[in-house]
Amino acid sequence: MQQGKHTVTDDFIPLHNGLGKEFKTVTAMIDIYCRAHHRTSTTCTECESLKHYANVRLDRCPYGESKPTCNRCPIHCYKQKEKAMMKAIMRFSGPRMLLHHPLLAIRHLIHERRKEVPAKPPKHRSNRYIRLQQQD
Ligand SMILES: [Zn+2]
């Protein structure tokens, strides 16, 4: 279903627990970056669509709840353009997160230091898989 250009604010795929927090962290970082660089009163269309992109990637992440932080993940699931955007955003907003969203930032840092990242994701753990199983 294709949404109109201006209806992109709240219709995200629901994510829970760790994935939900991860998505919150990503959207907060995008907001910080957008406010500083694109100077629109609300998040600009491009950044808003990046949130949706991240939302879908997280939904489909095969690691599901055991997902490592993106910079330690052996799977590179972002397309080049989105990856470049996200990299710039992380670099800018990462340090600023401590100030704006200390709890999310600290959680992310702790998560980043967890040791093992299984090279092969478990089966049937993505949010999307579980979500579709729960329908009907
Ligand atoms: Zn923007």
Side-chain angles (χ1 to χ4, degrees):
M1 204 197 323
Q2 203 50 35
Q3 296 284 347
K5 210 175 174 180
H6 298 290
T7 55
V8 285
T9 32
D10 274 316
D11 51 338
F12 294 112
I13 301 160
L15 295 163
H16 318 280
N17 307 316
L19 288 173
K21 288 221 179 68
E22 177 114 355
F23 185 54
K24 253 190 181 166
T25 307
V26 169
T27 53
M29 286 192 183
I30 294 174
D31 284 339
I32 291 170
Y33 183 89
C34 186
R35 226 173 292 139
H37 290 81
H38 304 146
R39 301 179 188 286
T40 48
S41 54
T42 54
T43 317
C44 75
T45 322
E46 199 186 359
C47 290
E48 199 59 41
S49 70
L50 186 63
K51 285 183 192 175
H52 279 267
Y53 184 78
N55 184 234
V56 173
R57 300 307 344 146
L58 282 173
D59 180 47
R60 296 187 180 177
C61 175
Y63 286 100
E65 276 302 317
S66 63
K67 182 189 169 306
T69 51
C70 291
N71 63 348
R72 297 192 58 204
C73 188
I75 300 173
H76 300 285
C77 72
Y78 272 54
K79 282 187 280 184
Q80 215 162 19
K81 181 184 159 230
E82 284 78 4
K83 191 182 170 186
M85 261 177 96
M86 200 54 101
K87 217 172 167 183
I89 289 168
M90 298 271 163
R91 193 170 305 151
F92 179 82
S93 302
R96 286 164 179 84
M97 280 294 283
L98 271 172
L99 205 70
H100 294 278
H101 303 276
L103 290 181
L104 281 178
I106 288 163
R107 182 197 162 271
H108 190 78
L109 289 174
I110 291 170
H111 193 66
E112 203 157 67
R113 297 183 61 172
R114 280 200 318 204
K115 275 179 240 103
E116 285 164 67
V117 182
K120 230 179 138 208
K123 265 195 167 145
H124 306 324
R125 289 294 168 75
S126 75
N127 184 72
R128 176 182 158 84
Y129 183 86
I130 295 163
R131 188 161 57 77
L132 296 178
Q133 288 298 99
Q134 282 165 353
Q135 282 172 9
D136 60 48

